[in-house]
Amino acid sequence: MAFYTYIVASKRNGTLYVGSTDSIVKRTGEHREGLRKGFTKKYGVHILVWYEVQETRPAAFRRERQITEWKRVWKLELIEKSNPGWTDLWDGFWTIDGV
């Protein structure tokens, strides 16, 4: 089983949210549909712009906490490095996550 650390955004260079999950399709789908109360719903943060696969749930959570503490510019650099067009990566998971 894979675990994920991810970043969703409201738009390019917009509001960012860092999270971790064992089902990236389900979790980012919840963000997209506004089903999760709180920060992401309030600020319209729903575009999956970056993710990283981890071997364990604790590893995914540790990475989430690490990135959450980073300066904003470091997060933007992380996204730009692997996704310079800020493409919504959510669609690519339909075949990976078993949905």
Side-chain angles (χ1 to χ4, degrees):
M1 173 177 234
F3 300 91
Y4 302 88
T5 305
Y6 65 92
I7 300 175
V8 286
S10 60
K11 61 182 179 178
R12 184 183 191 109
N13 296 318
T15 304
L16 303 176
Y17 174 82
V18 181
S20 60
T21 185
D22 60 352
S23 177
I24 198 158
V25 170
K26 180 180 177 188
R27 180 63 54 85
T28 54
E30 291 169 348
H31 291 309
R32 294 171 72 84
E33 299 299 320
L35 300 176
R36 297 189 66 84
K37 295 179 182 179
F39 184 86
T40 58
K41 184 174 182 175
K42 180 177 180 178
Y43 294 101
V45 181
H46 62 275
I47 303 166
L48 178 63
V49 293
W50 178 87
Y51 71 92
E52 194 173 78
V53 179
Q54 306 294 335
E55 290 187 21
T56 66
R57 186 182 317 275
F61 182 73
R62 279 192 306 274
R63 183 69 165 146
E64 173 191 347
R65 300 313 319 149
Q66 177 189 39
I67 295 170
T68 299
E69 296 296 320
W70 284 6
K71 294 178 181 180
R72 178 179 170 78
V73 67
W74 297 351
K75 295 173 194 173
L76 295 175
E77 289 172 358
L78 182 67
I79 295 164
E80 291 282 341
K81 187 175 174 182
S82 63
N83 187 5
W86 289 61
T87 304
D88 190 346
L89 305 173
W90 187 72
D91 292 331
F93 279 96
W94 286 103
T95 57
I96 295 171
D97 210 32
V99 174

